[in-house]
Amino acid sequence: MLFNRLIPELSVGDVGGSLEFYVGVLGFVVEYSRPEEGFFFLSFEGSQIMVEEVNDHWWTGELEHPFGRGINFQIAVRDISSLVERLEEAGVPLFRPVCEKWYRGGDAEFGQIEFLVQDPDGYLLRFVQVIGERKG
């Protein structure tokens, strides 16, 4: 297995609930785990994250729901519509609806279809499907 150079590890309140969301609803794959520690390494179309039930390993202060305030994780996918369907079937509301966005970068604009959803602990996930590039 190749590991990405940056892999976020999310502290979660209930690892079972997180697995149901990430694996059961979104379709992430458990690459390996240490269930006795509440730790799971997950992947989805080349993106990688780790989830670990809250413990004293990385304790920097009191955690308060929603976790991860001020951050969102952009995850590029091939087919955004299938993710939206799975979320709708599971009754998971979107934090921001599906929309087309163009972001300026230098003398070009980069387009994507995107939406945001919160995981059970409140982490924001921004799923994107790249739709192209145009002159800015």
Side-chain angles (χ1 to χ4, degrees):
M1 161 175 252
L2 294 175
F3 293 96
N4 293 343
R5 294 178 62 95
L6 174 66
I7 306 170
E9 182 169 345
L10 308 179
S11 294
V12 300
D14 171 22
V15 76
S18 293
L19 289 174
E20 176 55 33
F21 177 77
Y22 283 98
V23 177
V25 175
L26 295 175
F28 277 71
V29 173
V30 176
E31 297 293 347
Y32 67 88
S33 65
R34 293 188 298 276
E36 70 282 0
E37 296 177 18
F39 173 87
F40 293 82
F41 187 96
L42 310 175
S43 70
F44 185 81
E45 295 184 13
S47 294
Q48 300 172 333
I49 62 168
M50 298 176 280
V51 294
E52 184 172 34
E53 200 155 271
V54 174
N55 57 47
D56 62 356
H57 292 137
W58 316 117
W59 194 260
T60 60
E62 194 66 37
L63 284 176
E64 197 176 300
H65 196 272
F67 297 175
R69 285 170 277 172
I71 189 168
N72 76 74
F73 298 99
Q74 178 172 296
I75 303 169
V77 299
R78 289 184 292 271
D79 178 21
I80 208 160
S81 61
S82 65
L83 275 176
V84 172
E85 286 175 21
R86 290 201 299 250
L87 289 163
E88 287 174 351
E89 288 172 6
V92 177
L94 300 184
F95 184 80
R96 294 276 187 267
V98 177
C99 65
E100 180 177 313
K101 291 282 193 170
W102 289 86
Y103 296 101
R104 189 169 33 86
D107 62 350
E109 289 184 321
F110 303 92
Q112 57 194 39
I113 305 295
E114 66 180 37
F115 72 89
L116 281 89
V117 64
Q118 285 184 291
D119 82 352
D121 290 288
Y123 291 106
L124 272 178
L125 309 174
R126 180 165 44 129
F127 288 95
V128 304
Q129 180 178 333
V130 174
I131 57 173
E133 180 179 332
R134 64 186 183 198
K135 288 291 181 191

